[in-house]
Amino acid sequence: MTSIHGGAGPKRRQATSAWAYGAFGWLVVSFVWHVWMGVDHRTAMGAQDDVPVWVFLAYDGLIVAMSAVGAVVSLATVRPWGRRLPWWMVTVPLWCGAGLLVVRGVPGLVENLTTAAGLTPYGLLGLAEQPADPASGGFWTEMAINTYFFVGAVLMVPLAVRNRRRRRDGQEKSAA
């Protein structure tokens, strides 16, 4: 699957670009959303939240920074300037982000889907105090958020895998 001149062929580069730009778009939305949450933290936290404001803002600031780094790293996988970065500056954040999104997105969406289907009305672990109400707006808001994280995982995992392959193939070519 390499071209005559070495490296990935056009179809492979095009597929990697699609994952990279998809992940970039997802991370830009995450960045903007969390900046807004920091600015309007009283609304984002809700009236009944017992978490101190500084804890919420620190957490939200971390998510803003991670989204910004992830967006840059996603672009680095397909832009010429990204080849000049050390491999670990791209690979480590990609895999960390992919791992976090899998851990956050997959179980949340599975729980929402099984709850909506009536299989786990008290959650996957059965620890909820009351059964979930799939007719409520709160349930569907949670479903949308979990779906968003799941989509992030679906974008980041293939990008991390493709980046690893591209870097591996590039190192083999440069070693030859």
Side-chain angles (χ1 to χ4, degrees), residues 6-7 11 16 18 23 104 108 121 123 130 144 156 159 168 171:
K11 285 188 178 194
T16 300
R104 172 60 178 89
Q130 299 176 8
M156 290 297 286
L159 179 59
R168 183 193 64 212
Q171 288 172 353

Side-chain angles (χ1 to χ4, degrees), residues 101-112:
L101 287 169
V102 166
V103 168
R104 172 60 178 89
V106 174
L109 187 58
V110 167
E111 181 173 47
N112 286 145

Side-chain angles (χ1 to χ4, degrees), residues 36 39 57 73 77 79-80 82 92 96 100 114 117 134 138 143 149 164:
W36 170 82
V39 170
L57 291 176
V73 166
T77 64
R79 304 302 303 159
V92 171
C96 288
L100 285 171
T114 58
M143 173 81 88
F149 281 106
R164 182 178 113 340

Side-chain angles (χ1 to χ4, degrees), residues 76-174:
T77 64
V78 292
R79 304 302 303 159
W81 53 264
R83 292 187 200 109
R84 293 190 294 266
L85 296 174
W87 70 269
W88 57 269
M89 285 184 75
V90 175
T91 304
V92 171
L94 270 179
W95 279 106
C96 288
L100 285 171
L101 287 169
V102 166
V103 168
R104 172 60 178 89
V106 174
L109 187 58
V110 167
E111 181 173 47
N112 286 145
L113 292 174
T114 58
T115 301
L119 300 173
T120 58
Y122 289 91
L124 278 177
L125 300 177
L127 300 176
E129 293 177 15
Q130 299 176 8
D133 180 13
S136 72
F139 177 82
W140 291 102
T141 298
E142 187 179 322
M143 173 81 88
I145 291 168
N146 286 330
T147 301
Y148 182 73
F149 281 106
F150 181 80
V151 168
V154 167
L155 292 168
M156 290 297 286
V157 169
L159 179 59
V161 169
R162 286 179 170 278
N163 178 66
R164 182 178 113 340
R165 287 181 185 158
R166 184 183 66 92
R167 296 232 178 224
R168 183 193 64 212
D169 292 349
Q171 288 172 353
E172 289 174 359
K173 298 282 185 220
S174 62

Side-chain angles (χ1 to χ4, degrees), residues 1-14:
M1 185 130 204
T2 59
S3 67
I4 296 172
H5 304 290
K11 285 188 178 194
R12 189 168 171 189
R13 275 194 306 271
Q14 189 176 24

